[in-house]
Amino acid sequence: MKRNAKVSTAVIRRLPRYYRQLSELQQAGVVRISSSALGKSMGLTASQIRQDLFCFGEFGQQGYGYKVENLKEEIGEILGIGRGHTLIVLGTGNLGRAIIRNFKFSSNGFRLLAAFDVDRAVVGSRVAGVPVYHIDGLEEFLSAHPVSVGLLAVPIAAAQEMGERLVKAGVRGIWNFTNCEISFRRPDVVVESVHFSDSLLALSYMISQQERQDAAGEKEEL
């Protein structure tokens, strides 16, 4: 991993896909794979895969391909999976609880430490084994427990304020599920926003395009 200066966002977005695909290949007992075969399984070209990996160093051998286990470990290291990252969840409503119960944080290199809420009816309980604390104790908790990422599953009106509290307390990664944009005047803070509506509308566009093509094809046949 000698390179990695100015890696494009597009390449970074593909790295988790590589890691997931290699994990599946390893589970299936695949020991070695070529860039062509890997690309075919992911809908990418062999050239694209080689260019992406070249951003981080030399991988594989010409005429031999990649050792699946080794490449997975290398990409996992690039992604920081073994760095002991920690995470807390703010908001234990339906979305927050669903994420806590169903997302495999440990498989992605994160340890989920705690959740926070304003509802005293849930404070003191556990969600899938994760303790729920009152939001008033957030700063005290963060002073005692280094946290890498704060996951926001709070109402939109509270998103920016909660994010600022996290950042002020030393959290440098915000995983934002509030469906609104938040920002901080801090170059050392990274925000990753998940907009379900964006994904659904993108799917709507692709379906609409296909429907238009089908309709056009039917007219030509007539």
Side-chain angles (χ1 to χ4, degrees):
M1 294 182 289
K2 299 177 182 179
R3 304 175 184 84
N4 74 7
K6 296 182 180 179
V7 178
S8 73
T9 300
V11 173
I12 295 170
R13 295 290 182 192
R14 282 192 289 271
L15 285 178
R17 289 186 60 200
Y18 291 138
Y19 186 81
R20 185 172 67 250
Q21 184 66 22
L22 290 164
S23 297
E24 292 175 0
L25 289 169
Q26 186 178 23
Q27 291 174 4
V30 178
V31 176
R32 179 166 56 100
I33 192 168
S34 67
S35 55
S36 296
L38 181 58
K40 185 176 181 180
S41 69
M42 298 178 63
L44 300 171
T45 65
S47 176
Q48 182 69 76
I49 288 176
R50 289 193 293 267
Q51 289 177 26
D52 287 352
L53 296 180
F54 187 72
C55 293
F56 303 95
E58 300 289 345
F59 300 92
Q61 300 176 15
Q62 187 172 4
Y64 180 85
Y66 307 104
K67 285 187 176 180
V68 171
E69 182 179 4
N70 291 354
L71 184 57
K72 175 194 167 186
E73 290 178 356
E74 292 280 5
I75 292 177
E77 183 179 345
I78 293 168
L79 290 169
I81 287 177
R83 297 182 67 85
H85 290 145
T86 54
L87 181 144
I88 59 173
V89 174
L90 272 60
T92 59
N94 291 334
L95 177 59
R97 289 198 305 272
I99 293 173
I100 292 171
R101 287 171 174 159
N102 298 294
F103 189 80
K104 297 180 179 179
F105 291 97
S106 60
S107 297
N108 291 275
F110 280 83
R111 185 160 56 97
L112 178 54
L113 300 181
F116 292 82
D117 208 297
V118 297
D119 186 356
R120 295 192 181 277
V122 299
V123 171
S125 66
R126 287 178 176 267
V127 178
V130 177
V132 181
Y133 302 108
H134 196 277
I135 195 66
D136 288 348
L138 177 63
E139 284 77 9
E140 182 180 357
F141 182 91
L142 292 174
S143 68
H145 304 84
V147 170
S148 311
V149 171
L151 187 158
L152 295 181
V154 298
I156 290 176
Q160 185 68 40
E161 178 189 352
M162 291 298 102
E164 289 174 357
R165 286 179 65 177
L166 288 168
V167 170
K168 188 176 181 180
V171 178
R172 294 294 174 261
I174 306 295
W175 202 12
N176 175 27
F177 281 82
T178 65
N179 206 37
C180 76
E181 295 296 335
I182 60 175
S183 61
F184 310 94
R185 295 180 180 179
R186 292 281 299 269
D188 60 335
V189 173
V190 180
V191 179
E192 178 72 13
S193 294
V194 179
H195 292 287
F196 295 116
S197 58
D198 289 3
S199 180
L200 182 60
L201 289 172
L203 181 60
S204 175
Y205 168 80
M206 290 183 280
I207 292 173
S208 298
Q209 288 295 102
Q210 188 61 53
E211 289 172 345
R212 293 188 186 100
Q213 292 177 11
D214 292 344
E218 289 176 1
K219 287 183 179 179
E220 288 181 2
E221 290 179 1
L222 293 174

